[in-house]
Amino acid sequence: LTASSPACMSSIVDFLAAPEMFSQWLDDPVAFVRNGGSPGLATIEPDNPIWVKFARAMVPFVAPTAQGLAQQVGQWPTPPRRVLDIAAGHGVFGIVAVDWRAVLEVAKENAAAAGVSQRYRTLAGSAFDVDWGTGFDLVLLTNFLHHFDTATCVKLLAKVRGSLAPGGRALAVEFVPNDDRVSPPFAAAFALVMLAGTPHGDAYTEREYAQMGRDAGFAKVSATPLPPSPQSLVVFE
């Protein structure tokens, strides 16, 4: 909580406790429970300014996850050379970034601070509409798939698969509950966040991600924890 410390995480309250976030969860919970999701587009509305808040506030929370992901990728026999980061947000994970234009301005600031701005490229717009090209060794889907229903996730994963170079992989960072959907507590509780904040999003199990991957044409899907984060790394090969 000490602002002068490089490990300070106090900024995350600017997103997690933002009035617009509390409003969607607490103003009328009966409405989203009865509806089976948010009555409107909520957080997945195009150019929603909440994602600029996310990009500026959540770097301390996601940095350990990004480091864990980097360690996993660093163990691959052949390091990826071309990396696409979908819904890049703060830009901490990737090099070629896709997101809303205002959010990408924050990502470019972070890329400059990290000294990689010369290698950093941005593509503004919806991940479902932008032509991001092909030949990627690694495509990152960090904290994104949970915003959508299964059919939409399969559609996006199929697009991702078509953009991979031979031997390329896609990595998702997600809250993955067990099959009982009540454990572990953090991942299971995240389903409520998606119920309130998206029309059809959810916290999906490893089994559900595996089925999405197969339906999108991937041969193998696996999930492994990313401690100390409560999230998991889902690998699509």
Side-chain angles (χ1 to χ4, degrees):
L1 298 179
T2 302
S4 60
S5 168
C8 180
M9 297 186 70
S10 60
S11 67
I12 67 175
V13 301
D14 293 337
F15 173 73
L16 296 178
E20 53 267 54
M21 299 298 284
F22 266 73
S23 175
Q24 74 180 13
W25 297 328
L26 301 179
D27 280 2
D28 190 5
V30 173
F32 63 73
V33 171
R34 285 178 173 170
N35 190 60
S38 64
L41 290 178
T43 58
I44 66 169
E45 178 185 11
D47 288 301
N48 191 323
I50 191 62
W51 296 116
V52 177
K53 278 193 175 182
F54 173 87
R56 292 202 178 280
M58 294 297 286
V59 170
F61 182 83
V62 302
T65 306
Q67 291 167 358
L69 187 152
Q71 289 173 359
Q72 295 275 350
V73 173
Q75 297 173 14
W76 292 2
T78 303
R81 296 181 61 85
R82 296 193 70 217
V83 180
L84 174 67
D85 189 358
I86 297 172
H90 35 68
V92 169
F93 287 96
I95 293 295
V96 179
V98 176
D99 212 314
W100 302 122
R101 189 173 303 279
V103 178
L104 290 174
E105 292 303 313
V106 182
K108 286 191 283 188
E109 291 173 13
N110 290 333
V116 296
S117 58
Q118 296 302 312
R119 294 187 291 139
Y120 199 73
R121 185 163 65 94
T122 59
L123 296 168
S126 166
F128 298 95
D129 302 327
V130 169
D131 180 4
W132 59 59
T134 59
F136 292 100
D137 303 303
L138 171 60
V139 174
L140 300 173
L141 294 152
T142 57
N143 297 301
F144 191 53
L145 293 175
H146 54 237
H147 290 91
F148 308 101
D149 59 48
T150 298
T152 303
C153 290
V154 170
K155 177 183 176 181
L156 182 65
L157 285 168
K159 181 179 178 180
V160 166
R161 182 174 178 271
S163 70
L164 289 171
R169 307 181 206 183
L171 301 183
V173 174
E174 290 289 346
F175 297 96
V176 181
N178 296 326
D179 286 339
D180 61 16
R181 302 196 66 85
V182 296
S183 65
F186 199 116
F190 188 73
L192 178 62
V193 177
M194 291 297 96
L195 183 67
T198 68
H200 305 293
D202 202 354
Y204 295 107
T205 66
E206 181 177 1
R207 189 191 304 271
E208 289 170 319
Y209 279 120
Q211 186 61 56
M212 291 179 204
R214 287 192 294 269
D215 291 345
F218 286 96
K220 181 181 178 182
V221 181
S222 59
T224 56
L226 278 173
S229 161
Q231 296 190 280
S232 294
L233 182 66
V234 185
V235 183
F236 297 89
E237 302 180 67

